[in-house]
């Protein structure tokens, strides 16, 4: 799955852990998920088991999946060194993330360490590699707060915007309980000059506000509806209506779907829905409501555009042999 210099795309490309990829080759994509994830808020439920990650990828592949975008950012246990082997052995293309989550997910000393040049950290991980692994990130992940942006969020988004301008990478945004999209777009696209189609708003299914969805789509951002089967959020049962409304308004090309597996217990190999749920059950429900062609667009065409970038600083492809 690695890409040689001769095969490397000359136009926009999706930056995977095995090299840059022609967007047309991304295939059926889980646009927001996690193979590895650690946080003080997930004590005892960390995603840190390499064998379990491999099994989850195999299950996703058997359900028809071709690619996974891992939104795990800096300092949250990305296990970047493991990702190329997992991608190679599973046949699933993996995109890793740089970026920074909410402050609550980090020890104070970690935030202090990166604060001096946060944009430089992001750019380095996108163009040179994560740590000493040589594995390059292919997107930037940041986070807002509940209906607003605190000082930490504004700082990390400013760094993300600087890195986006330097590299072309897409910025994925964790919206707390699906809220705060207008504030995020005002900051990133209004004040900081990020093109709206370089912004992916995550967790919009958690706040089924059709007006906000429509406003975000009209602004030109991508809308990620992720985390199906999470019963503590307004997710599955309201989603077909939300997606139908957006599509009828002409915004079917803005919609992305993801699984957002965040705990060990949620993995399919541990009895939870996990990554395969998106394709084994969620897709079927949406196809009944919306039609197979539209759902295929959400899972293939849209993510191929959303995560592709005109990379401003090409770097050598990761060698994993």
């Amino acid at each position: 799955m690695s890409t040689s210099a001769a095969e490397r795309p000359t136009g926009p490309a999706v930056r995977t852990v095995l090299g840059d990829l022609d967007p047309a080759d991304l295939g059926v994509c889980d646009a927001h998920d996690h193979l590895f994830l650690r946080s003080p808020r997930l004590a005892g439920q960390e995603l840190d088991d390499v064998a379990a990650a491999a099994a989850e990828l195999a299950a996703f592949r058997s359900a028809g999946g071709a690619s996974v975008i891992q939104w795990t950012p800096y300092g949250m246990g990305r296990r970047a060194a493991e990702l190329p082997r997992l991608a190679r052995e599973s046949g699933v293309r993996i995109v890793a993330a740089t970026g920074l989550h909410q402050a609550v997910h980090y020890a104070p000393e970690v935030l202090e360490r990166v604060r001096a040049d946060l944009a430089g950290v992001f750019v380095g991980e996108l163009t040179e590699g994560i740590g000493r692994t040589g594995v390059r990130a292919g997107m930037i992940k940041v986070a807002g707060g509940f209906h607003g942006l605190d000082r930490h969020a504004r700082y990390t988004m400013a760094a993300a915007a600087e890195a986006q301008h330097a590299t072309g990478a897409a910025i994925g945004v964790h919206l707390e309980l699906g809220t705060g999209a207008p504030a995020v777009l005002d900051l990133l696209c209004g004040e900081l000059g990020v093109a709206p189609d370089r912004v992916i708003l995550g967790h919009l299914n958690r706040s089924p506000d059709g007006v906000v969805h429509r406003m975000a789509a009209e602004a030109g951002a991508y809308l990620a509806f992720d985390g199906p089967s999470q019963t503590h959020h307004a997710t599955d049962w309201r989603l077909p209506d939300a997606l139908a409304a957006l599509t009828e308004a002409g915004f079917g090309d803005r919609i992305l779907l993801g699984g957002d597996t965040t705990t060990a217990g949620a993995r399919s190999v541990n009895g939870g829905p996990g990554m395969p749920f998106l394709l084994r059950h969620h897709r079927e429900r949406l196809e009944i409501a919306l039609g197979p062609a539209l759902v295929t667009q959400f899972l293939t065409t849209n993510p191929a555009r959303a995560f592709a970038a005109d990379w401003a600083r090409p770097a050598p492809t990761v060698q994993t042999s």
Side-chain angles (χ1 to χ4, degrees), residues 153-285:
R154 295 185 67 87
Y155 176 77
T156 57
M157 288 187 191
E162 185 176 340
Q164 195 285 320
H165 290 309
T167 65
I171 301 174
V173 184
H174 165 99
L175 297 179
E176 185 68 16
L177 297 179
T179 68
V184 168
L185 293 175
D186 284 348
L187 176 60
L188 283 177
C189 304
E191 295 181 33
L192 300 172
V194 175
D197 66 354
R198 295 287 75 206
V199 177
I200 301 166
L201 300 170
H203 306 321
L204 284 168
N205 50 299
R206 300 183 184 182
S207 179
D209 185 332
V211 175
V212 170
H213 296 176
R214 175 76 175 260
M215 290 172 58
E218 288 178 344
Y222 284 95
L223 283 60
F225 295 85
D226 40 49
S229 80
Q230 295 187 12
T231 57
H232 58 301
H233 298 307
T235 54
D236 297 4
W237 64 279
R238 290 183 173 179
L239 189 57
D241 288 342
L243 300 188
L246 283 167
T247 301
E248 290 167 7
F251 299 114
D253 62 340
R254 301 286 95 192
I255 294 168
L256 305 174
L257 300 175
D260 193 29
T261 307
T262 58
T263 62
R267 277 184 161 150
S268 66
V269 296
N270 293 328
M275 288 183 179
F277 186 91
L278 178 68
L279 302 180
R280 288 180 178 162
H281 305 291
H282 202 48
R283 176 170 58 181
E284 181 180 0
R285 290 182 64 255

Side-chain angles (χ1 to χ4, degrees), residues 5 25 28 32 36 59 61 66 74 76 95 97 104 107-108 140 145 147 157 160 165 195 211 221 249 271 308:
D25 294 331
V28 174
H32 179 175
F36 300 106
R61 181 68 171 169
Y74 178 95
M76 294 188 69
V95 174
V104 70
I140 308 164
H147 285 291
M157 288 187 191
H165 290 309
V211 175

